[in-house]
Amino acid sequence: MFGLVQKGWFKGDDKKKDRLCLFKQLIQGVAYLHANGIAHRDIKLENLLLTKDSKLKITDFGVSEVFSGTHPGVRESGGQCGRNMSEVRLCSPGICGSEPYIAPEVLEKKNKYDPRALDVWSSAIVMIYLTFGGAIWSRAERGNAHYDKLVRGWERWYEKHPESGACITETDYPLCLALDVGVNPPALRPLMLQ
C-alpha cells in the first residue's frame, strides 16, 4: 500500500469508497489478531499488502506480541493462537513500531502499555495516510503542529466534559483542524479521534 499512497492513488473524493473499504479490512484484521491474543505492534503502510482482488493482508510480525493466552510456539497451544486467553500482559516501556505510526504512550517510554492500543493508533494513522497522502505529523509528541492541535482539541473537550465516563459523539468531539476538514464521512472523525 505504501507505493500506492506515494502515487496518490487513494486521494480525492472519488476514492473515498476505496479508502473506507481498506480501512474496514484493516480494522477487521486487527480485531481478529486481538481476539486471538496477538498485537502486531508495527501496523504501517509498508506492512499492508493488497491482493489483485483488493484484499488487504497484514504482514511482517517481527515485533508482534502475544499479549494474552498461551504463546502459539509453546507445545501446549498446539500451534494455535488464542488458547487459554486470560488477562492482558502489558508491554515494557520502549520504542516499538515505526514513526509516525507509534502511539504517544509508547514514544514516552515511561510506563508499560497495552499493545492493542498501539495497533489501534497505527490503524488510524494508516487512514490519515490514505486520506491525505501522507502523515500530518512526524511523531505523536508535543512540538508537532497538528499533533499539538489534536492534544489541545482533547484538552478543550475534557474541560467541557469533566464528568467521568464522558463519551464523544458524531456531533460533539474534540476539534483538530486537519481531521475536521479532510476526513469524510463525518462519522469517521470521532472514530479516528478515539
Side-chain angles (χ1 to χ4, degrees), residues 27-180:
I27 296 305
Q28 289 172 331
V30 168
Y32 176 82
L33 291 173
H34 291 179
N36 285 283
I38 299 171
H40 188 279
R41 300 195 319 158
D42 197 17
I43 300 287
K44 60 182 177 179
L45 291 171
E46 294 89 331
N47 290 340
L48 303 175
L49 306 178
L50 290 176
T51 66
K52 63 183 176 183
D53 55 344
S54 299
K55 301 289 188 248
L56 185 134
K57 303 290 182 181
I58 301 172
T59 64
D60 190 358
F61 287 79
V63 294
S64 65
E65 184 72 30
V66 177
F67 65 84
S68 183
T70 305
H71 193 286
V74 176
R75 179 174 288 164
E76 70 184 74
S77 75
Q80 298 294 310
C81 298
R83 296 277 172 107
N84 305 316
M85 296 286 282
S86 58
E87 62 204 43
V88 172
R89 293 185 292 273
L90 301 178
C91 291
S92 298
I95 298 295
C96 185
S98 303
E99 292 180 12
Y101 301 91
I102 303 172
E105 65 271 19
V106 177
L107 283 171
E108 287 178 354
K109 299 187 281 186
K110 291 181 180 174
N111 301 306
K112 290 183 173 190
Y113 65 92
D114 184 335
R116 298 172 298 177
L118 175 55
D119 287 350
V120 171
W121 177 272
S122 301
S123 296
I125 300 299
V126 167
M127 186 60 179
I128 287 171
Y129 267 89
L130 293 174
T131 302
F132 297 105
I136 56 176
W137 54 69
S138 58
R139 287 175 64 107
E141 62 185 5
R142 294 289 192 149
N144 287 292
H146 287 296
Y147 181 73
D148 287 345
K149 289 176 186 176
L150 174 68
V151 170
R152 279 194 301 275
W154 272 105
E155 289 169 346
R156 286 191 296 268
W157 191 87
Y158 279 122
E159 286 172 9
K160 290 194 302 189
H161 302 86
E163 65 277 5
S164 143
C167 295
I168 67 175
T169 67
E170 285 187 31
T171 57
D172 181 20
Y173 55 87
L175 299 177
C176 172
L177 185 60
L179 295 178
D180 295 335

Side-chain angles (χ1 to χ4, degrees), residues 13-31:
D13 287 338
D14 59 325
K15 298 293 185 175
K16 182 171 74 171
K17 285 184 181 179
D18 295 330
R19 288 192 302 269
L20 293 175
C21 179
L22 291 171
F23 185 62
K24 180 180 179 181
Q25 290 182 63
L26 174 58
I27 296 305
Q28 289 172 331
V30 168

